[in-house]
Amino acid sequence: MTVQQALRIVDEDEAGIDKAFKRDVLKGLSEPQKAVPARWFYDERGSQLFEDITRLPEYYPTRAEKEILRAHSGDFRAAIGPGRAVVEFGSGSSAKTPLLLRAIDPSAYVPIDISGEFLRASADRLAEKLPDLPIHPVEADFTRRVTMPAEIDGTARLGFFPGSTIGNMVPRTAVDMLREMRATLEAGSPAGTPPLLLIGMDRIKSRKVLIPAYDDAQGVTAAFNLNLITRINRELEGTMPVDAFRHQAVWNDDIARVEMHLEAQRDIIFTVCEREFTMAAGDTIHTENSHKYGRRSAAALLLAGGWTPLERWNDHDSRFMMILAEASPLRSAP
Ligand code: AVI
């Protein structure tokens, strides 16, 4: 067993409440268009429901990305080379990771995830599959700069950010995060070997494909969305009536994103951390954006975040793409 104790950095108050969760929810519910950042979906139940989503017939991104990882393992090996430490941002169940790790022969694996128990369980499972690979889990919010384990000091890095999780951020936040990832990976990198980033991004496509992917027939995505209310009630002393909300998925064509909302079905009053909120029937809480990209918009986003795209691979239907990028040199030339 090479899995190490995860480093716990969640900031809690005296009552054991996650301060960042409380701040985001109280602020988000106070705004004219109520909104809660999507990262708070992922408590243990939310992480499990997301795993269930990835197996739904309507939800194509996971299958398409796995297809790319399988079909292009030789390309990844050639472009990335062996011996890098693979740092996975928001590793979840690490389901796709063995495909990459087997392809490129890395020296270590550092999964980063905000859901600690899930992280440790996944790391244990991975250690069984790849017993010789050192694994150093880090429980952290990967959108901020993360201190890497000392064990990978001086080792070249590959950031791995699959699943089009970047799509859950508005461009400004995505750019900030790409810059933070770069800083996370650069600290302790060997001179002259810039970090690489392998990132999955979902492509723009027909509404007929997109909406069912986010509003499936079995109602798993609805349960995933509604679980946020259950989490708020449990962790923030909330009194939100779960049965008054309905899951909603809409395509915002101007911004090229699927939006998820929780729509109030009747007028309601509830409290969270003793603060009172009201919603009229039809009001929504905006809970997630899932941005979709074209080739050029993906490149523009990466460049703004300090990463130069090197290569790009699509699945056979061109629904999804994986892009390999390199930390761009900082220079003033155009
Ligand atoms: C994690 N993320 C990339 C998923 C997505 O497709 O935006 C989350 C998700 N939300 C609903 N279904 C899946």
Side-chain angles (χ1 to χ4, degrees), residues 42 50 53 59 163-165 168 213-214 221 224 260 288 290 292:
Y42 299 93
F50 177 64
I53 287 173
Y59 192 77
S164 200
T165 305
N168 297 133
Y214 291 85
T221 312
F224 173 71
M260 296 207 318
E288 187 180 66
S290 197
K292 310 302 171 189

Side-chain angles (χ1 to χ4, degrees), residues 277-329:
F277 299 94
T278 58
M279 292 177 75
D283 286 354
T284 70
I285 304 172
H286 187 173
T287 50
E288 187 180 66
N289 292 312
S290 197
H291 294 82
K292 310 302 171 189
Y293 308 91
R295 178 169 57 89
R296 294 189 184 90
S297 56
L301 193 73
L302 287 165
L303 287 164
W307 295 93
T308 304
L310 301 176
E311 295 197 44
R312 195 186 66 251
W313 299 276
N314 291 329
D315 63 304
H316 78 280
D317 267 344
S318 289
R319 290 184 168 189
F320 201 91
M321 58 190 156
M322 296 207 81
I323 300 176
L324 183 68
E326 184 178 65
S328 316

